[in-house]
Structures are given as structure tokens and as C-alpha cells.
């Protein structure tokens, strides 16, 4: 598999996040993409961003997410089970990661995979089957292709 210095791959863990408190910091394209996936699995999602995409606003109006129109501050993440730092500001994302580490909250940041406690997988959901695909943050195209191929095979059967 790899040399001595190669980090082991992340373990795929399927957990019930339906009642977990999930905080997403950021309201742009990456945050929206991750929220679109999370709403299928979780009911307690808060989005903190001074600006949010049309989709996030729509989900907020439908009460599928709670949108706080604020810039990030540490109080926003207090009591969170998971945090996703998805701002377009690396310094802000770094600050979020540091705050999460201090509070022992697992965090994923969109700007630097080495700082992530967990990765956001490519998700395939067909009826009661859920599969996650991950390349350790290395090759998003490969993850997408694998997910699409498996989906095609399962739909053919």
C-alpha cells in the first residue's frame, strides 16, 4: 500500500447524525453543496454566514436549516457535534479549526485537507442503500467517477 511515512486512510464510519448539532460556517458554493447532502441525513443544521446562496435561503425558509446572518465568532460553534468550515477566507477557516480543536469538536475545512478531522465523502443513496466514497482528499474526480460507476451498476441490476 505505501511506505512507512504514508498516513493510513480514513476509516469509513456510518453514524446516525439525524439529531447531531451540525454547524456550517459559510454560505457559498462549497457550503451549499455540503448542506444539500447533509439535509438528507440531519435535522439540526445551522449555517452561519453574512451572505448565503439562494439554495441555503430556500432551505432556511423551509425550516430545513437554520441560517444565522453573522460573521464567524466562537460562540456560534459552542455545543456543536460537527463543524464544517467552508468560508472563502483561509484565515477564518484556520481560526474555526483552532476553535474546534480547543473545544474538541470534529471539524472539516474546505481549504486545507490536512486540517480535517473527517472528510466529506461522495455519497450514493439508492433507497435504503447508502455508500460513501473517499480518496483522502486527494482525487475528487476519481471519487465522482467511482460513485457514478457503482450507481450505474446498481441501477442496471
Amino acid at each position: 500500500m505505501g511506505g512507512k511515512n504514508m498516513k493510513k486512510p480514513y476509516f469509513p464510519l456510518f453514524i446516525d447524525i439525524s439529531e447531531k448539532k451540525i454547524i456550517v460556517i459559510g454560505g457559498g458554493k462549497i457550503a451549499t453543496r455540503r448542506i444539500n447532502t447533509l439535509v438528507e441525513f440531519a435535522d439540526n443544521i445551522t449555517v452561519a454566514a453574512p451572505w448565503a446562496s439562494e439554495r441555503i435561503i430556500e432551505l432556511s425558509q423551509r425550516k430545513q436549516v437554520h441560517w444565522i446572518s453573522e460573521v464567524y465568532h466562537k460562540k456560534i460553534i459552542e455545543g456543536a457535534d460537527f463543524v464544517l468550515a467552508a468560508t472563502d477566507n483561509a484565515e477564518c477557516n484556520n481560526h474555526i479549526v483552532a476553535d474546534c480543536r480547543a473545544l474538541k469538536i470534529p471539524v472539516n475545512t474546505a481549504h486545507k485537507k490536512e486540517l480535517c478531522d473527517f472528510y466529506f465523502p461522495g455519497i450514493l443513496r439508492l433507497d435504503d442503500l447508502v455508500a460513501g466514497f473517499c480518496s483522502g482528499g486527494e482525487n475528487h474526480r476519481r471519487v465522482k467517477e467511482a460513485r457514478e460507476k457503482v450507481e450505474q451498476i446498481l441501477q442496471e441490476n
Side-chain angles (χ1 to χ4, degrees):
M1 178 112 165
K4 271 196 252 183
N5 296 329
M6 186 174 176
K7 187 177 177 183
K8 290 184 180 184
Y10 280 41
F11 179 76
L13 178 67
F14 290 84
I15 62 170
D16 178 6
I17 63 168
S18 61
E19 295 181 14
K20 298 292 184 192
K21 182 176 181 181
I22 300 169
I23 309 293
V24 180
I25 313 296
K29 190 164 75 172
I30 293 172
T32 301
R33 204 168 51 229
R34 296 193 173 161
I35 291 163
N36 275 332
T37 300
L38 285 170
V39 294
E40 291 188 50
F41 300 93
D43 295 323
N44 190 358
I45 302 168
T46 298
V47 181
W51 172 90
S53 69
E54 286 182 30
R55 175 67 174 151
I56 291 172
I57 293 168
E58 174 190 327
L59 290 168
S60 176
Q61 290 169 343
R62 285 202 248 151
K63 308 273 190 246
Q64 289 183 275
V65 302
H66 176 65
W67 174 37
I68 303 169
S69 180
E70 296 180 15
V71 296
Y72 174 74
H73 54 86
K74 190 174 183 177
K75 195 165 185 74
I76 289 172
I77 64 169
E78 287 179 358
D81 293 302
F82 298 99
V83 171
L84 284 80
T87 77
D88 60 1
N89 182 315
E91 188 177 322
C92 181
N93 287 343
N94 284 333
H95 191 69
I96 295 164
V97 169
D99 288 346
C100 286
R101 294 275 193 282
L103 295 170
K104 300 192 183 323
I105 300 169
V107 62
N108 170 283
T109 182
H111 81 296
K112 196 169 187 182
K113 66 180 183 335
E114 296 83 12
L115 296 177
C116 293
D117 293 322
F118 63 93
Y119 291 128
F120 209 86
I123 300 283
L124 170 59
R125 186 167 175 206
L126 294 170
D127 302 319
D128 63 343
L129 177 69
V130 177
F133 298 83
C134 181
S135 67
E138 297 295 327
N139 192 333
H140 300 294
R141 175 176 280 137
R142 185 173 182 208
V143 168
K144 183 179 179 188
E145 289 172 359
R147 188 195 61 74
E148 288 171 350
K149 285 179 183 177
V150 171
E151 182 176 22
Q152 182 180 6
I153 291 166
L154 291 173
Q155 287 177 337
E156 287 171 0
N157 291 332

